[in-house]
Each structure stands twice: as C-alpha cells, then as structure tokens.
Amino acid sequence: MRTLYVKMIVCLVGILLCVPAVYAQTIDTTAYHQLKGVEVVEKARPSTTREATPLQVMDRAGIERLGIQDLSEAVKRFSGATVKDYGGIGGLKTVSVRSLGAQHTAVSYDGVTITDAQSGQVDISRFSLDNVEMVSLSIGQTDDIFQTARMYASAGALSVKTSSPDFTSSPFHLKAQLKAGSFGLVNPYLRYEQKFGKKWYASWHGDYLRADGNYPFTLVNGDLVEKKKRNNSDIESWRTELNFAGDLGKAGTLSMKGYYFDSHRGLPGSVILYNDYSGERLWDRNAFAQARYENRITEKFALQAQAKYNYSWMRHLDVDNKYESGRQDDRYTQKEYYLSVSGLYSLTDHLLFSLAEDYFINTLDNTIPECPFPKRYTSLTALAAQYKDTRLTATASLLGTYITEKVERGDKPSDRKRLSPAVSLSWRVMPEYNFRLRASYKDIFRVPTFNDLYYLRMGNTNLKPERATQYNLGMTWSGSLPFINYLNASVDGYYNRVSDKIVAIPTMFIWKMMNMGEVSIGGIDVNLSAEVPLWKNISLSGQASYSWQHAIDITDETEKNYRDQIPYTPRHSGNVSVAFQMPWVNVSYLLTVVGDRYASPQNIGRNLIDRYAEQTISLNRSFTFASCSLRLQFDIINVGNINYDVIKYYPMPGRSFRGGLVFVY
C-alpha cells in the first residue's frame, strides 16, 4: 500500500512539472535583501512557497478581508486541518492535522506551546481572534530552526501570534468592539496600548462573552422528523491578557505576558430520540504567565529563552436526570512549570545550526477515587542544521526525548527515551521562475496522556508511545499573470503511518486502554490564492483549498472495520473564500464543503454522517475620521440553513446572524 501512495505522489508531481513554469518571468518575493537605514514597521509574513514543508498562513489583513471573527473559522480555511466542533458557541473545538489526531497537533500562543497533559487536546475556543495578528498551520518540521524544542515534538503545529502595537502616530491606542448575534450572543471587547519612553510598552485587553446557545434544529429518525431546540448550550466567559515588552539595548529584548480565562458552560450532550434532557456543566479556569528573552549576542550567535507557569482548573458536573438521582461532580487541577533555552549559530551566510533544550514538569490532581496524583518530568533536546540559498533550502533535525514519572499510589510507566529525526528539502527548479519542489520526512511520537495512563480502571500504565511517520512530496509556484496581481499555488501528496495507536478495548467487564491500533493515511492537499484587479479601486481576492484523504484502519485483518475509513475523516473536503474590495462596501463569501464520514470504525449505514455544505456571507465597511477609525460588519452564517453534524448527534446551528462594531483610536 505504501508503494502505491509513493507512486501516486511521484506521478502527481510529474504532471505538475508540466504546469507552465512557461508563464511570464516572475520575481521571487522570498529572496532576502539587506536594507540599511530603513525602519521596518510592517509585520513579517513567512513565505508559504519557499517552505520545505507545507505552511499555510492567514494574517490580519486576510482575517478582516474575509470577515472571519472566530479562531476555529480561520483554521477551517486550512487544507488538511479538521476542526472537531461539538456544536454551538460554547462547544469544544479541537484541531487535527491530516487525520493524525488532536494529540499530535501542537498549539502555540506567541511562541510558547499550550498544553493539556490530562487529555492531550487543546480547546481552541478559549482564544479570541480579536487581538491576533497572524494564524499559521505547519505540517511536519518548519524551516524555522530557531524555536523551542517542544515545537519539534509534534506532527503539526497551529501557531497564533498576537498583535504588536505601532506607536508611529500616537503614544497610546484604544480599541473598543462589540459583537452581538443570534441565540443571545453578546461579546464586548476592549484593548488599550501605552508606550513608555522610547523602548517599552504595555498592552491590555479583555472581553466578555455570553450566549444562550439554545438554537433550533431538525431531528430526523427514519420517517420521523421533529423540530426541536438545543438545550443546556449556554456559555458565559471572561478573558483578559496583559503584555509588557521592551528593548534592553545591547542586552536584547524582553516580553512578558499574563493571561486569564474563566468560563461556565453547559454541555448539551448528544441528541437522543424522546429524551432531550442534558445535565452536564463545565467550569474552566486557566491562567498562565510567560516571559520571552531574545539577544543577538554577536553577528553569528543569537540566544533566546522562555519560561512559563500554567495553572488549569476544571469542574465537571454530570446529573443523570432532572430528578438528580445520579450525580457525578469531579474537579481537576493541572500545573506546568516550563523552561526553554535555544541558540542559533551562523557558520556562514548559508549554513546555520541550532540547539534547543526544554525542561518541564506536569502535575495532575483530581477528586476521582484512587487518584495517583501523577507528576511528569520531561526533557527535550533538539539539534538542527540548515543550508539556505536563493534556490535550495535543506534542513535536518534530531529530537531527543526523555520522560520519567512519579505517582503517590499505584504503578507508574517506565521511563521513555527516544530519538526522532526529521529532514526536509526545497529546491527552486529554475532560477528565473519561482517554481519549487519540496520533500520532507519526519518521525515523531506522542506519549500517553494522564487519562490514558491513570483514568479510573481504564488507564493502563504499560502503554507505549503512539508513533507517527510522515512523508510529504509537493510543489509550490507563485507569480503574476496577465490581469492577475499575484497567484500562489501548492500541491502536496503525503503518506502517514500511525503505529501503536492508543485505543480503548473491552476486556472482560471493563474497557482498557491498549496499544492496538495501526492506521495508514494517504492524501493530497491543494491550495490556491489569487488577487485580481477589476476596476479602479475594486479588486477581487480569493483562495481555495481541497483535501483528499484515504485514512484506513489496518490493525487486524479479521476485524469488520479492517481497511475502513477511520472515524470523522471525510475522503473529500474543501473550501472557497472570495472577497470583493470596494470603496463603499466589502463583501466576502465563504463556502465549506465536507464529504461523508463515519462516527465509528465500522463503515456501515447507521454510522454514516452525511456530507454538508455551509455558506457564510459577510459585509463590512470602514470609516476614517481624524485619527480614529470605525468598522461595521454584518454576517449571515449558514446561509442555506443546512441541518448538519460535525460530531454525530451534536447538531450544529442553522442560519444565524452576527453584527459587530469596532472603534479604534
């Protein structure tokens, strides 16, 4: 099977080589030029065509142009990314890359990874898009070798970069925003930025969100069709963040961040015929403080260090019925202490080396009987080398992992030691055209979560890490054509293999976590983006992505689900985004299409989740007067009022409306 995928990928790239690199000569916008005596005030955007591994980027301009107002909506624009959405404004949202599972996807916030040692999954609904400058998704190992060792330790990474103030026109800025919409949505937001002296600044922002979330939906069960309303879908949350940063002169730069999030939400649960009761409630409190230090000590050597303390508390209340005859009330507390130091050495103008060392401690306390109170000690060491010139980029890295754990009661797993290599290559085929071929390989693993190891009687301390091997082969092209300002295109074929997959297996009277799974994943990702001037101040910009995935279970030939598509993985999915920029109003149209999926390993009719297409239309207009600006936006979400599920039995909202007002001084 692996040979089949390799042949398919090679044929695909061979066909693409015939794509006219024959178009007019283009300029490589990714080439490096040193400018002297110029102050750069614009935000740097990484090149997606030069990267040796797939990289997709959405910056602030693209976010506003398309009218996107939620982080999960932005991530859905990326090919190869699957957002599991449990419904509604308050529903949990996790990200999986190329069907490897959310535990294999790292989520970083301003360069520091967000973690959850208990479940291994990060709920991205906890983060606002209002203060975000750039969102990027990388698959495999990125070309940026000057980063934390933790960023080497995942199959893919979703990176969120927040906005940095620009004080060229004023020593302070104020931004006030209000969103409101269907199902009781109210979301005010306030941000203030202040400059201190010539080299230091502080920024603060906070927002409040509440919604009833009790949206109508249609329940279909054979010939029975019922109009119902989602219950227990309310949410109320507070979020605030404080930043302080400055220039230490020859001693480097320092930035510090404090973050707090507090939410109380209902978990509506799955839809069951004749029973619309749901009594699950969830309280989340998360606070972290992080600091980042950077210093270019000499022309050849740079140093950076990061430290973070993270505190997370969760309460889960589950009441069986309205009479409260059954009641489960659990509380979980996680803490993390994290330190990272990395150095970058430039041997020549083209040859770079980096070394990063991360050390962190994770703890978990809970109120579940027989809690072992685990404490995990992790050391990550990453060594990388990179050669880069105008035509060739070659990167190799080796990650060393050492993990040991302690428990107060019960058994603990053995210490884990592993070396994980990664190699990538990008080659510009002809000097005069920005047409590149790229190839990459990465071997990575993820350790069992605290839930996998210790949860009640299901946990298994003998679990081995889940291993993933990634291969990617593709091409990128960027340039301009007649009547097109720019055109970017990328096509990647890939093959992933997951071994020792951690799954729950029934054993006698209870379920048990086991290393029993093996998954074969092959696919193709296609991305296009372009901008077309139409007339004077009117332009059209658009992007499109398509993913084909053949992700099958190859664990056991005797099982009924052998070679069936793994759960929640559509074979076909894609999206189209189009934005008309006009002097009087900007209009954007978003289309998301997802094919048939299955909710369980066996691909039979009763497990089928139907395909769907969701459309969103957004209108916005900005006004400028004196030193202030005002932006108005109105969205129609799910224009066709389509009744669909992302997760089976968790219906998504139908047509809804949302409006927003942003004032900036």
Side-chain angles (χ1 to χ4, degrees):
M1 179 60 67
R2 183 179 303 186
T3 303
L4 175 61
Y5 285 128
V6 171
K7 288 182 179 179
M8 179 184 68
I9 293 170
V10 171
C11 291
L12 174 67
V13 173
I15 294 172
L16 289 167
L17 283 170
C18 300
V19 173
V22 297
Y23 288 127
Q25 180 173 331
T26 61
I27 299 174
D28 183 3
T29 58
T30 66
Y32 291 98
H33 304 282
Q34 184 175 2
L35 301 177
K36 296 183 179 180
V38 177
E39 179 184 2
V40 179
V41 296
E42 291 297 325
K43 307 297 187 300
R45 175 188 169 117
S47 170
T48 58
T49 57
R50 189 186 181 106
E51 288 282 320
T53 54
L55 174 68
Q56 300 170 74
V57 177
M58 182 175 292
D59 58 15
R60 189 73 219 170
I63 292 170
E64 292 185 351
R65 183 170 57 247
L66 295 175
I68 295 173
Q69 299 193 44
D70 183 82
L71 180 57
S72 64
E73 293 176 13
V75 177
K76 290 175 183 178
R77 302 293 108 197
F78 296 144
S79 64
T82 301
V83 177
K84 284 191 176 181
D85 192 329
Y86 289 82
I89 299 167
L92 302 177
K93 297 172 178 62
T94 61
V95 183
S96 174
V97 176
R98 290 181 173 176
S99 299
L100 291 171
Q103 290 91 345
H104 283 279
T105 305
V107 178
S108 75
Y109 194 69
D110 281 340
V112 183
T113 308
I114 304 296
T115 57
D116 187 321
Q118 179 185 349
S119 67
Q121 304 182 87
V122 177
D123 177 17
I124 63 173
S125 68
R126 292 195 291 123
F127 300 97
S128 170
L129 198 63
D130 297 322
N131 68 315
V132 169
E133 178 64 35
M134 186 181 300
V135 181
S136 63
L137 179 70
S138 60
I139 302 174
Q141 190 55 53
T142 67
D143 287 350
D144 180 13
I145 64 172
F146 193 32
Q147 57 182 342
T148 65
R150 211 173 201 174
M151 292 299 289
Y152 287 83
S154 61
L158 175 67
S159 299
V160 180
K161 181 181 178 182
T162 60
S163 303
S164 298
D166 177 10
F167 295 109
T168 54
S169 60
S170 173
F172 69 92
H173 298 291
L174 177 67
K175 178 180 179 180
Q177 176 177 288
L178 177 63
K179 297 178 189 175
S182 301
F183 321 126
L185 171 66
V186 177
N187 181 203
Y189 169 88
L190 185 65
R191 179 181 177 92
Y192 181 76
E193 303 166 345
Q194 177 68 56
K195 186 176 182 181
F196 300 101
K198 295 182 179 180
K199 298 182 177 181
W200 293 87
Y201 74 85
S203 67
W204 170 87
H205 74 261
D207 75 292
Y208 167 77
L209 183 146
R210 62 90 54 204
D212 300 325
N214 296 329
Y215 51 87
F217 69 96
T218 303
L219 177 61
V220 179
N221 183 39
D223 296 331
L224 179 64
V225 178
E226 285 189 272
K227 298 289 185 180
K228 301 179 74 69
K229 202 169 216 182
R230 206 75 163 111
N231 293 319
N232 198 42
S233 295
D234 61 294
I235 183 173
E236 184 174 30
S237 69
W238 297 86
R239 177 173 31 222
T240 187
E241 184 177 311
L242 177 64
N243 294 275
F244 186 69
D247 189 344
L248 301 171
K250 293 183 179 180
T253 60
L254 177 67
S255 61
M256 293 174 285
K257 180 190 297 290
Y259 171 93
Y260 180 73
F261 173 79
D262 192 328
S263 78
H264 174 208
R265 71 182 86 181
L267 300 179
S270 59
V271 173
I272 302 174
L273 196 64
Y274 307 121
N275 182 11
D276 57 1
Y277 174 79
S278 179
E280 284 189 272
R281 308 293 297 179
L282 186 68
W283 291 261
D284 275 310
R285 294 173 190 164
N286 178 225
F288 65 77
Q290 66 187 47
R292 179 186 180 96
Y293 171 78
E294 293 185 63
N295 189 10
R296 179 162 288 279
I297 299 174
T298 68
E299 291 186 0
K300 290 185 173 292
F301 182 70
L303 176 73
Q304 69 175 4
Q306 301 185 46
K308 179 178 180 178
Y309 169 74
N310 183 78
Y311 171 87
S312 179
W313 177 88
M314 181 179 71
R315 178 190 177 193
H316 176 235
L317 174 64
D318 189 4
V319 180
D320 284 348
N321 53 58
K322 60 184 177 181
Y323 304 107
E324 298 196 19
S325 58
R327 181 185 181 93
Q328 184 175 351
D329 192 349
D330 300 322
R331 292 168 173 83
Y332 305 84
T333 301
Q334 293 186 67
K335 296 179 183 178
E336 180 178 84
Y337 308 87
Y338 173 79
L339 180 64
S340 172
V341 179
S342 55
L344 179 69
Y345 180 73
S346 304
L347 183 64
T348 68
D349 291 341
H350 302 294
L351 187 59
L352 308 173
F353 295 92
S354 71
L355 178 65
E357 174 65 31
D358 289 15
Y359 183 75
F360 46 99
I361 303 172
N362 296 94
T363 66
L364 174 66
D365 300 343
N366 63 44
T367 56
I368 295 178
E370 301 180 2
C371 174
F373 300 100
K375 183 177 291 186
R376 176 178 291 172
Y377 302 84
T378 305
S379 172
L380 301 176
T381 305
L383 176 64
Q386 184 177 85
Y387 175 84
K388 179 180 289 187
D389 60 28
T390 56
R391 295 189 62 187
L392 177 66
T393 300
T395 306
S397 65
L398 184 66
L399 174 69
T401 303
Y402 175 74
I403 300 175
T404 186
E405 293 185 19
K406 293 182 179 180
V407 295
E408 293 187 10
R409 62 165 64 99
D411 298 328
K412 74 178 187 70
S414 302
D415 295 348
R416 304 177 184 90
K417 303 175 184 178
R418 185 176 173 85
L419 294 176
S420 304
V423 180
S424 61
L425 182 71
S426 173
W427 178 50
R428 185 171 179 171
V429 179
M430 293 173 284
E432 63 272 22
Y433 300 107
N434 194 22
F435 176 73
R436 294 177 179 268
L437 297 179
R438 62 187 178 191
S440 61
Y441 160 84
K442 187 171 185 177
D443 178 83
I444 203 64
F445 74 104
R446 69 103 174 169
V447 295
T449 66
F450 282 158
N451 280 350
D452 294 335
L453 295 169
Y454 306 112
Y455 188 77
L456 292 177
R457 290 179 293 174
M458 287 183 63
N460 181 1
T461 56
N462 294 317
L463 289 173
K464 295 183 291 185
E466 190 174 288
R467 297 177 293 125
T469 306
Q470 301 170 268
Y471 302 88
N472 189 90
L473 187 62
M475 59 77 65
T476 65
W477 182 83
S478 66
S480 59
L481 298 172
F483 309 109
I484 299 179
N485 284 349
Y486 76 82
L487 176 65
N488 290 344
S490 68
V491 180
D492 289 275
Y494 61 88
Y495 177 77
N496 302 330
R497 187 72 168 252
V498 181
S499 303
D500 292 327
K501 189 171 181 63
I502 299 170
V503 294
I505 301 293
T507 60
M508 195 63 70
F509 302 109
I510 62 173
W511 288 67
K512 198 78 171 174
M513 306 307 296
M514 297 285 194
N515 289 111
M516 291 292 291
E518 191 163 4
V519 178
S520 172
I521 306 167
I524 298 172
D525 287 341
V526 181
N527 290 278
L528 295 171
S529 61
E531 181 177 333
V532 181
L534 299 179
W535 184 71
K536 291 186 178 180
N537 295 327
I538 302 177
S539 65
L540 170 67
S541 60
Q543 60 186 53
S545 66
Y546 166 76
S547 292
W548 173 81
Q549 291 188 77
H550 184 59
I552 57 175
D553 189 319
I554 56 173
T555 303
D556 187 348
E557 294 184 15
T558 63
E559 292 292 333
K560 293 181 179 180
N561 61 301
Y562 181 68
R563 300 190 66 80
D564 279 358
Q565 190 86 344
I566 64 175
Y568 295 106
T569 303
R571 290 189 185 274
H572 305 278
S573 61
N575 61 75
V576 176
S577 307
V578 180
F580 288 92
Q581 301 287 106
M582 297 176 284
W584 51 92
V585 67
N586 301 318
V587 181
S588 65
Y589 171 78
L590 310 179
L591 170 67
T592 300
V593 180
V594 176
D596 292 339
R597 296 138 291 142
Y598 293 90
S600 297
Q602 194 172 355
N603 293 177
I604 56 178
R606 68 183 181 187
N607 295 330
L608 181 68
I609 306 176
D610 290 334
R611 68 195 72 178
Y612 70 88
E614 186 191 54
Q615 305 170 80
T616 297
I617 295 177
S618 177
L619 295 86
N620 65 79
R621 171 75 189 273
S622 295
F623 304 87
T624 302
F625 45 96
S627 56
C628 304
S629 67
L630 182 67
R631 175 185 168 90
L632 303 177
Q633 181 169 327
F634 178 73
D635 306 324
I636 307 175
I637 305 162
N638 194 357
V639 175
N641 199 28
I642 302 299
N643 188 60
Y644 70 95
D645 294 0
V646 174
I647 303 297
K648 193 172 181 64
Y649 304 126
Y650 285 80
M652 297 293 290
R655 185 185 301 113
S656 62
F657 304 92
R658 181 176 59 197
L661 181 151
V662 183
F663 172 81
V664 178
Y665 176 77

